């Protein structure tokens, strides 16, 4: 069976509340790539950082705090990639290693698979069908 590339941006739901949204965990390389893209867009569009972040759906202060904490919402990055070349999109997508969700006590991080394999599809199917993977209660 061939492997199917997983599109992480399909996880984004328009109706999600910002606090409960899925976030991309930023490693150093990913931070540098996003900074470069933001600078490039600012030059092209002749915008200040706060204007650009607002255009992408996030206030400047929220962006700074999120970027400093190393987590940007999936929605923000999805909108950012709409301004990029295909090559830069691929670089960003290939650098996404972890996603996070929740705040405080409900905060969790999950490693991101790059491809859907037959085994992964079976596991996901079992969880969707039954709600869990426990053998007994």
């Amino acid at each position: 069976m061939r492997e199917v590339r997983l599109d992480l941006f399909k996880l984004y739901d328009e109706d999600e509340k910002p606090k409960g949204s899925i976030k991309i965990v930023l490693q150093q390389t990913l931070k540098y790539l996003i900074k470069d893209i933001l600078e490039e867009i600012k030059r092209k569009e002749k915008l200040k950082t706060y204007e650009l972040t607002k255009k992408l759906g996030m206030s400047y202060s929220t962006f700074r705090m999120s970027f400093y904490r190393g987590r940007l919402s999936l929605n923000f990055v999805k909108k950012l990639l709409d301004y990029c070349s295909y090559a830069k999109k691929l670089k960003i997508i290939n650098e996404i290693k972890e996603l996070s969700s929740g705040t405080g006590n409900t905060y969790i991080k999950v490693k991101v698979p790059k491809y859907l394999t037959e085994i992964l599809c079976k596991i996901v199917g079992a969880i969707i069908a039954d709600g869990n993977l426990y053998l007994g209660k």
Side-chain angles (χ1 to χ4, degrees):
M1 180 182 166
R2 80 184 206 350
E3 294 177 333
V4 177
R5 182 105 178 144
L6 181 62
D7 184 358
L8 296 175
F9 297 104
K10 297 226 174 170
L11 294 172
Y12 170 69
D13 181 10
E14 288 285 338
D15 299 328
E16 275 186 350
K17 304 246 185 299
K19 284 210 180 250
S21 68
I22 297 171
K23 294 177 180 65
I24 295 171
V25 177
L26 304 174
Q27 283 84 20
Q28 209 56 36
T29 311
L30 196 51
K31 273 188 173 184
Y32 288 131
L33 283 170
I34 288 173
K35 266 187 182 177
D36 287 345
I37 290 169
L38 286 169
E39 291 302 319
E40 185 180 310
I41 295 168
K42 280 170 39 181
R43 276 194 309 274
K44 261 191 224 173
E45 303 278 324
K46 294 183 172 104
L47 295 170
K48 295 189 183 329
T49 307
Y50 73 89
E51 293 169 327
L52 178 58
T53 57
K54 190 171 185 170
K55 191 174 185 178
L56 294 170
M58 187 182 287
S59 72
Y60 177 66
S61 59
T62 303
F63 167 75
R64 268 191 43 206
M65 182 179 61
S66 298
F67 198 77
Y68 174 75
R69 289 182 177 172
R71 301 186 302 248
L72 277 178
S73 76
L74 196 59
N75 177 35
F76 182 84
V77 176
K78 181 181 179 182
K79 289 178 182 177
L80 180 68
L81 293 182
D82 289 341
Y83 290 91
C84 298
S85 67
Y86 184 72
K88 286 200 179 188
K89 280 182 188 179
L90 281 180
K91 273 185 181 178
I92 294 271
I93 290 168
N94 287 330
E95 281 301 319
I96 297 173
K97 308 277 191 244
E98 289 182 308
L99 296 177
S100 70
S101 181
T103 57
N105 292 338
T106 62
Y107 177 76
I108 59 166
K109 274 200 230 183
V110 204
K111 290 201 183 284
V112 176
K114 293 289 177 202
Y115 297 96
L116 287 175
T117 61
E118 186 175 354
I119 294 168
L120 182 57
C121 289
K122 286 180 181 178
I123 292 169
V124 171
I127 292 170
I128 290 171
D130 196 35
N132 61 53
L133 288 177
Y134 296 113
L135 294 175
K137 293 189 178 184

